[in-house]
Amino acid sequence: MPARAAAATTAALLGAGALVLPSTAVAETPAQETRVRAAAAHDEPLVVAHRGASAYAPENTLAAIDKADELGFRWVENDVQRTKDGVLVVVHDDNLKRTTNVEEVFPDRAPWKVKDFTAKEIAQLDAGSWFSAKYKGARVPTLTQYMNRLTENGQRLVLEIKKPELYPGIERETLRVLRETGWLDRHHVKHELVVQSFSADSVRQVHAQRPDIKTGFLGTPAVAELPTYARFADQINSTHTSISDDYVGEIQDLKGPHGKPLEIFTWTVDEAAAARRVADFGVNGIITNKPDVVRAALRD
């Protein structure tokens, strides 16, 4: 009996009211019952624009989140790392080579690691031309610049703390920037923010420092390990090729640290068939480079 929707907790994230399951609904297993309730709550998973609308604009730039906004998507995802002088910047790789002209501007600075450059130096780099001449001159934004643009656009954020082992203390610094940009008030924390990482320790630190923030662990832990993660993570966010209907059900049968059913946002889904497949599993969210393709697939 396939599930057709995101879980009820996504609706709660979006401010939906209480749910009532019709008396005629019958689930074959507890996992399927959870997803039947989900279907009653919300007819689609949440669609999150991965690194902004990164199929159409250079990833993690202000142009990418503006493009997501133009396409009508309120939720975006990004990656945060730290410069040599302690400024948080939005960039995916710990190396600047792939998405900037750093080799041209600083030819003698190999291997061009983010942590080896100051914020002023990174601000000189072109982060758009690699993608398209249309975006020549786009810059690597600081986290402060990025958060301010999200506020201007009225968008929401899944923030990934990237490679925290390279940047001791980055969790506290990320929370500081979020506070300074107005993102740790009650409304943002409750409705507009998720902080995630591949590092369980990093997620645990965020939860310890700000227990009210919704957190996500990136990975696909064994089912037996899920209760451990549920102590400090509200989401288990797995690659779409690693999950199944049963695995999604196992996640959603547990409650996270805020007493609500654990969620799953799956990534990176860019094909219509894959979007429909994971939607049938009942995932809460789909992270995608092509949010318009996924939206169309879910509504087909």
Side-chain angles (χ1 to χ4, degrees), residues 226-261:
L226 290 175
T228 299
Y229 288 90
R231 296 172 188 166
F232 57 86
D234 300 276
Q235 299 177 346
I236 302 296
N237 296 340
S238 311
T239 175
H240 75 98
T241 57
S242 69
I243 64 174
S244 65
D245 183 86
D246 287 340
Y247 188 73
V248 170
E250 293 286 354
I251 288 172
Q252 294 172 345
D253 279 346
L254 295 171
K255 288 188 176 180
H258 294 110
K260 298 179 180 180

Side-chain angles (χ1 to χ4, degrees), residues 54-128:
S54 55
Y56 311 116
E59 64 182 62
N60 277 324
T61 62
L62 301 184
I65 54 177
D66 287 347
K67 186 63 178 180
D69 183 48
E70 177 187 324
L71 292 170
F73 292 93
R74 297 196 66 189
W75 280 90
V76 300
E77 183 265 1
N78 75 350
D79 305 281
V80 175
Q81 305 203 46
R82 189 172 67 202
T83 68
K84 182 178 181 178
D85 53 340
V87 177
L88 299 185
V89 290
V90 179
V91 60
H92 178 269
D93 301 358
D94 66 350
N95 186 303
L96 293 160
K97 287 173 58 176
R98 181 175 64 85
T99 58
T100 77
N101 63 340
V102 67
E103 292 180 89
E104 176 186 334
V105 178
F106 299 104
D108 301 323
R109 299 278 294 276
W112 299 287
K113 296 287 189 177
V114 174
K115 66 183 180 64
D116 294 331
F117 287 80
T118 67
K120 185 176 180 179
E121 290 171 334
I122 290 176
Q124 299 175 42
L125 303 178
D126 181 343

Side-chain angles (χ1 to χ4, degrees), residues 60-204:
N60 277 324
T61 62
L62 301 184
I65 54 177
D66 287 347
K67 186 63 178 180
D69 183 48
E70 177 187 324
L71 292 170
F73 292 93
R74 297 196 66 189
W75 280 90
V76 300
E77 183 265 1
N78 75 350
D79 305 281
V80 175
Q81 305 203 46
R82 189 172 67 202
T83 68
K84 182 178 181 178
D85 53 340
V87 177
L88 299 185
V89 290
V90 179
V91 60
H92 178 269
D93 301 358
D94 66 350
N95 186 303
L96 293 160
K97 287 173 58 176
R98 181 175 64 85
T99 58
T100 77
N101 63 340
V102 67
E103 292 180 89
E104 176 186 334
V105 178
F106 299 104
D108 301 323
R109 299 278 294 276
W112 299 287
K113 296 287 189 177
V114 174
K115 66 183 180 64
D116 294 331
F117 287 80
T118 67
K120 185 176 180 179
E121 290 171 334
I122 290 176
Q124 299 175 42
L125 303 178
D126 181 343
S129 292
W130 70 274
F131 185 87
S132 167
K134 174 183 177 181
Y135 293 104
K136 181 179 180 179
R139 302 301 176 192
V140 174
T142 66
L143 181 58
T144 296
Q145 292 169 336
Y146 195 94
M147 300 311 298
N148 288 337
R149 181 61 64 87
L150 290 179
T151 298
E152 291 174 16
N153 291 349
Q155 290 171 292
R156 302 173 177 184
L157 179 64
V158 179
L159 182 155
E160 180 181 345
I161 297 176
K162 203 75 179 176
K163 299 288 185 75
E165 65 276 9
L166 299 178
Y167 314 109
I170 192 173
E171 296 82 11
R172 186 173 300 279
E173 294 166 2
T174 298
L175 294 175
R176 175 182 55 78
V177 173
L178 292 175
R179 183 179 65 253
E180 290 173 352
T181 53
W183 275 71
L184 292 189
D185 63 15
R186 185 174 182 274
H187 176 78
H188 281 90
V189 167
K190 188 173 181 180
H191 300 290
E192 302 191 350
L193 179 66
V194 177
V195 177
Q196 65 176 2
S197 180
F198 281 98
S199 166
D201 183 62
S202 188
V203 177
R204 200 179 285 111

